[in-house]
Amino acid sequence: MSELKLNILPSPTWNWLRMNDTDYQMKKTDGYGSPSIVTTAGVSESDGIFPAEFDGGIGPDFSKRLDEDQVHAEVFDINADTTDPLKIAFDYDEESALANRFVINVAAGKKATVIMNFAAMKSAGQYSVQTSAVLEKDAELTIVQVMRTSDEAVFLNDIGTEIADSAKFNLVQIALGGKNVFLGVKNHLSGVKSAIDMKLGYYLTGDNNLDVNYIASHTGKKTKCDIYANGVLRDKAVKTFRGTIDFIKGCKGALGNELEDVLMMDKTVRNKTIPVILCAEEDVEGNHGATIGKLAADLLFYLESRGMTEEAVYEMMARARIDAVAASIDDEETREQVGKYLDEFKR
């Protein structure tokens, strides 16, 4: 095992906040996960080499560790518009340290959806996934990731993108549970009018811990990012959310929006949220905000006056937050699976 620094904040804040990064003792990888893959027309699959220049959200220590463990890459080249999504599903049942890498290349002007399901409900291993996505001019890629993790399992999920002129990257992530779940995404908006739209939904109970690092790096002119997180914390759950919009000199006309909404169900939860805007360019617009706490008293009173108990109100509103994120998934089967997962998700 080796200690890594994960989810490093691009611009450090006060050390006493303990949000600049997270230390994690990572086990050596001892195998690969065996996903079920359903390809679609317009997608070619091959074994390949993970890009040495990859720059993801979890950070260089994680990439170096997977390099040392010689984790190979599965490459998907998307050369035509896809009518059906490419589906990659993991059902982890080994209590070991497994790792996989994916490279997704989307040709100019093409549009595709990739749906990734990760289930580790009956195991207590360490599972790592790293994804590189390269979007050429006018391309559009949507990645949907649904993560169901047991109270004993650790999951590390890293994404890095390169987005060319007028290309758009959409990401929907839903995280349900987990002893330790690390999510890192770094988007390189290098093309003129390149854009990202990221949505995160999470539902944490017990002693679950979620650690997130989203970074939008604007270098191209007139680039745009939208980051939205909507989650529920209950029992003794802990969540750390770092969201950084980085306006780098030269990205004139860039726009960045970031918002998080956290529903805290119990007084024993711990929430840490740090929205950051870094600005080295004058001609840009950045907006961020967070709504954190319990339900508004007037809303609670209104619903209770209609015959609902306080507990029922909170349960309904908690479910609604995840449903709101799931509604953006353009695949009926996956939406139904999320609903089923939520129905089975026990406190």
Side-chain angles (χ1 to χ4, degrees), residues 307-324:
M308 296 182 69
T309 66
E310 181 176 342
E311 181 179 1
V313 172
Y314 269 92
E315 292 294 338
M316 179 184 70
M317 297 304 292
R319 173 65 181 263
R321 276 164 162 72
I322 308 303
D323 285 340

Side-chain angles (χ1 to χ4, degrees), residues 37 57 90 97 125 204 298 302:
I37 300 177
F90 288 85
L204 307 178
D298 55 347
Y302 174 81

Side-chain angles (χ1 to χ4, degrees), residues 215-274:
I215 304 170
S217 178
H218 293 257
T219 55
K221 295 179 180 179
K222 298 182 180 180
T223 49
K224 182 181 179 183
C225 79
D226 289 293
I227 300 172
Y228 176 61
N230 197 346
V232 179
L233 302 177
R234 63 190 316 170
D235 302 323
K236 295 182 180 180
V238 179
K239 185 232 67 186
T240 302
F241 180 83
R242 307 171 186 85
T244 302
I245 300 172
D246 191 0
F247 294 118
I248 296 170
K249 189 172 180 60
C251 67
K252 293 183 178 181
L255 171 64
N257 299 302
E258 177 185 0
L259 177 65
E260 186 184 19
D261 191 352
V262 187
L263 177 60
M264 302 171 68
M265 303 275 281
D266 298 295
K267 294 181 179 179
T268 48
V269 302
R270 291 179 60 202
N271 176 75
K272 293 185 285 185
T273 296
I274 182 165

